[in-house]
């Protein structure tokens, strides 16, 4: 990949093999049987390796795709880590811009709503009256807490019922 870029950007390429030809030679020496008047004669010749021509370009394309995906993954990693580290700062900015009282439920909802949820909350806060948004946010937080508590209770009751069924089967 890098050698190919250097080779292509060089102005004087006469007499120099391409880096692709080093890995995938396009021609090789071979013995060719020739029918003549005296019978079969083996002559040394040059054979074209057609699959190597195509494969060399496939590998070049895959090399560039590998580096493009590597750069994309690095950018994605940077943004995801920066989002992770700066979410707390966004929460503080959100609370100060909306003049809300901080609650654990509100902070949990904001932190776990993801980037799109945080942007939606910020847009709602900036576009509806302050008291309306505060009431809406409190109701959403209460609902989320109720749903979480119900899920926890369901898990606890399920465990208790599983233990009772285990005891019943053990006694039998």
């Amino acid at each position: 990949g890098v050698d190919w870029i250097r080779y292509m950007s060089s102005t004087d390429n006469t007499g120099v093999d391409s880096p692709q030809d080093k890995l995938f030679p396009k021609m090789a020496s071979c013995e060719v049987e020739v029918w003549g008047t005296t019978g079969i004669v083996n002559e040394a010749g040059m054979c074209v390796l057609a699959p190597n021509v195509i494969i060399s370009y496939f590998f070049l394309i895959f090399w560039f795709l590998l580096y493009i995906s590597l750069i994309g993954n690095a950018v994605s990693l940077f943004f995801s880590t920066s989002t992770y580290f700066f979410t707390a700062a966004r929460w503080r900015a959100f609370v100060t811009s909306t003049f809300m009282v901080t609650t654990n439920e509100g902070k949990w909802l904001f932190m776990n709503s993801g980037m799109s949820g945080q942007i939606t909350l910020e847009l709602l806060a900036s576009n509806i009256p302050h008291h309306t948004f505060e009431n809406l946010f409190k109701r959403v937080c209460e609902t989320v807490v109720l749903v979480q508590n119900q899920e926890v209770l369901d898990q606890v009751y399920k465990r208790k019922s599983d233990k009772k069924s285990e005891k019943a089967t053990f006694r039998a």
Side-chain angles (χ1 to χ4, degrees), residues 5-22:
I5 292 172
R6 280 192 213 119
Y7 174 79
M8 293 306 285
S9 63
S10 174
T11 57
D12 184 30
N13 290 335
T14 56
V16 178
D17 287 341
S18 136
Q20 288 175 303
D21 292 340
K22 291 178 185 174

Side-chain angles (χ1 to χ4, degrees), residues 8 32 35 50 64 66 70 78 115 119 153 160 163 168 172:
M8 293 306 285
V32 179
W35 292 78
F64 281 112
L66 175 71
L70 181 70
F78 172 75
M115 185 62 85
I119 291 171
L153 288 174
K160 285 182 179 179
K163 287 181 182 179

